[in-house]
Amino acid sequence: MTGFETGGDAHDRTRRVFGEEAFTKIQNSKVCLLGLGGVGSYCLSSLVRAGVGNVLIIDGDAYDVTNINRQEFAFLSTIGERKVDVAKACVAEVNPQCTVKTFDELILSGNIGATVDVIESFQPEWIIDAIDAISIKLLLAEHFVRDRDKVWCQCFSTDGNQLSKPLEVSKENVSSKENIDEKSCVSLTEKSGKNTVQVRRLGYISAMGAANKLDPSRIQISSLSKTCNDGLCRIMRKEARKRNIPDFTVCYSDEQTVIQPEQVITRDVEKKILGSVSFIPSIMGITIAAHVIRSIAQK
């Protein structure tokens, strides 16, 4: 069956939108998602329901009752369970053909090297940063945006079937005339028999602040340099300039903050608890997934 017959399969409706060729690209794609909070969990759900065939999920937390108001896989029955384990089980229920790899570690400045190693060994087409910590967001952007000196390569036969695992090639080996961006593939001049090496730069997108916002219509995809009315974006812009991080893609809301955070004293630390609602992180996560999936389909 092609999926277009009456009845179809779980991905029948998606194939009807994208067509077989683009849907095959989605099925063969590899996406790395960092963070399974409100944004990341809904992003993951949208990715795998759309047919993404390989995902790496990175999160080192367990579910808490306070997650239930905004996180896709948070239920009374999952409180205390590891987020990556719950997410992997849910993916299997939705898209059993999807290969899921997990890294159950909190991302800290002290172990960022291990996280980078896990990501690079996976060799994704896209990296989605859906974590909260600004310091870690900056470290990731330093490595995968500023210091990126390689692009992923894949070998394909003339009929489009992938022949081997992704390889790496330095930018110097690619003609300077060729525009390699996150939305396109280009072919190297060298060919071997019926095989063509196609090069596609790693896609990277970072989620900005979803707290203290109420208007989902203000959520948008933008470059970091063009963002406004978002405190996290303001800090990221300032620090990116200091660290010579080039401009990169983000998802953010230009809505003014509507509620001031309250000071909440916990047992061992004074911490600002930011308010959030069900429909802002979820729509931000779905918006990111849409951006990534459309890019993969159009490559």
Side-chain angles (χ1 to χ4, degrees), residues 111-182:
N111 70 350
I112 191 69
T115 302
V116 167
D117 288 344
V118 169
I119 295 171
E120 290 193 334
S121 65
F122 181 66
Q123 295 190 329
E125 293 180 46
W126 272 90
I127 293 176
I128 300 170
D129 159 29
I131 59 178
D132 296 326
I134 296 176
S135 60
I136 305 304
K137 297 177 93 69
L138 288 165
L139 288 174
L140 290 169
E142 282 180 339
H143 184 84
F144 291 109
V145 179
R146 186 192 69 188
D147 299 336
R148 182 173 57 199
D149 60 356
K150 295 179 179 179
V151 289
W152 308 132
C153 289
Q154 294 176 306
C155 292
F156 295 87
S157 63
T158 53
D159 62 4
N161 293 321
Q162 187 174 331
L163 298 178
S164 63
K165 67 179 182 180
L167 307 171
E168 290 184 8
V169 61
S170 64
K171 291 178 184 176
E172 290 73 21
N173 292 337
V174 181
S175 169
S176 60
K177 296 180 181 179
E178 313 219 276
N179 179 26
I180 307 174
D181 60 31
E182 63 187 25

Side-chain angles (χ1 to χ4, degrees), residues 239-253:
E239 291 300 319
R241 287 193 296 269
K242 287 182 181 178
R243 301 171 187 229
N244 295 315
I245 299 173
D247 208 5
F248 59 94
T249 305
V250 300
C251 183
Y252 88 108
S253 167

Side-chain angles (χ1 to χ4, degrees), residues 243-283:
R243 301 171 187 229
N244 295 315
I245 299 173
D247 208 5
F248 59 94
T249 305
V250 300
C251 183
Y252 88 108
S253 167
D254 67 0
E255 179 187 11
Q256 293 280 1
T257 299
V258 294
I259 302 171
Q260 293 299 319
E262 297 179 355
Q263 287 286 91
V264 177
I265 308 299
T266 61
R267 285 184 297 176
D268 55 352
V269 65
E270 185 177 88
K271 181 181 179 182
K272 286 185 178 180
I273 304 297
L274 302 179
S276 61
V277 294
S278 60
F279 49 83
I280 297 297
S282 58
I283 293 176

